[in-house]
Amino acid sequence: MTGNGHDKTQRLLEWAVAELEIPGIVAEVKDADGTWFGTAGVADLTTGARRGPGEYLPIGSGGKAFTAAAVLTLEAEGRLDLEDPVNKWLPGVLNAGGYDGDRITIRHLLGNTGGLFATGLAPELVSGYASRSRFAEHRFDVWTLEDLLRLAVSQPPVGQPGERFVYANGGFSIARAIIEKVTGNTYADEIERTVIRPLGLTATYVRPEGDAGYRGPHPRAYSTQFYKDGVDPAAVTPDNWESMMEEPGLEPLDVTEFNTSWDPGNLVSTTGDMIRFVNAVAGGGLLPPAQHRKMWTTVSTEGAGWLSHTRYGLGLFELDKAATGGRTVCGVAGSYWGHMFCALGTPDGEHTVAFHTNTEAKSFDLLFKLAEAELGITIGA
């Protein structure tokens, strides 16, 4: 599967399998020469089946960009405003735990600047999947939207609205509820109307709340993302979580069938569909100019314990130009038990790459290495 100038990328895929203990990885590229697809490793550790194009894949936090695009479309239609306070649409939802729904706006939610805590580390969430035995017990638990709204305010604020970037899934659960309140439709229906159908994303869908499977071919997913026995999830912080993880070298656990309704977007897609999506949101092919500018008005993520060398817009990021030698590279990324997904591209749509590993992120360096190999940039220190 090498050739067409992508040999360096193919070697990187093989390196990821050999050195990062990734069972299988795929990458799809669209550039001036057409489309290229590369793979290394396997889709199934038991059968040895290879990975291939067209696999259905959870995109994790890549779904945040879909939520933001839907909200921005509603703004363009005159149905809401990014500066609306949350209390205008969801009175009282944020009037708990020290939050102020009159001061936190929709823009704050989509930009991770509302002062909400890092919801992905909430003990109520991670305790259910903290160890291998806990995962087996809770992997099919269903999280309703009401559950997610309660989770969003289950710990105190970490800052004032607009003060700084803190990655908070809870903000996107609230944004999802606002979409449903404004339209009277389900979140899935609005994502279909505003993003999936206009872009022709035929293999992309919001996974139903009770669904733990896929609509088409997919790889097995494997995880070693578990805490050591006896770790109290309440003691885990963004600074110490790595030291709490189980010892390396254990056989990965098959986590393919897994209810991910705790993910505010809960989207499934393919590398091909996500290339089309990133090209559209990066190049201005989905939103009107005013909303496109708002989506790409970014803030620094430095010091936030998130993905380095980035600035965050509304639901997506761009690599910091100070680290790329002035090149603009836009993208989405997500990682959780059994999956890492990323799509990166240039705003002109001339060069875009999407990749997926069937285990969680072992190192986000893989993202930067792939950007260097495929897009020809050098990520600075």
Side-chain angles (χ1 to χ4, degrees), residues 301-314:
T301 66
E302 184 177 358
W306 194 63
L307 186 60
S308 60
H309 306 305
T310 56
R311 296 182 60 85
Y312 201 83
L314 300 182

Side-chain angles (χ1 to χ4, degrees), residues 2-68:
T2 58
N4 299 323
H6 302 287
D7 288 359
K8 188 174 181 180
T9 300
Q10 180 63 43
R11 289 194 297 271
L12 178 61
L13 302 184
E14 294 164 1
W15 169 85
V17 170
E19 299 297 329
L20 299 182
E21 298 182 344
I22 291 171
I25 183 172
V26 294
E28 186 167 342
V29 177
K30 179 184 177 295
D31 61 14
D33 295 323
T35 300
W36 174 87
F37 187 86
T39 181
V42 298
D44 189 320
L45 288 172
T46 301
T47 67
R50 301 282 293 179
R51 301 200 58 176
E55 294 172 332
Y56 283 69
L57 311 164
I59 61 171
S61 287
K64 289 180 170 63
F66 285 74
T67 301

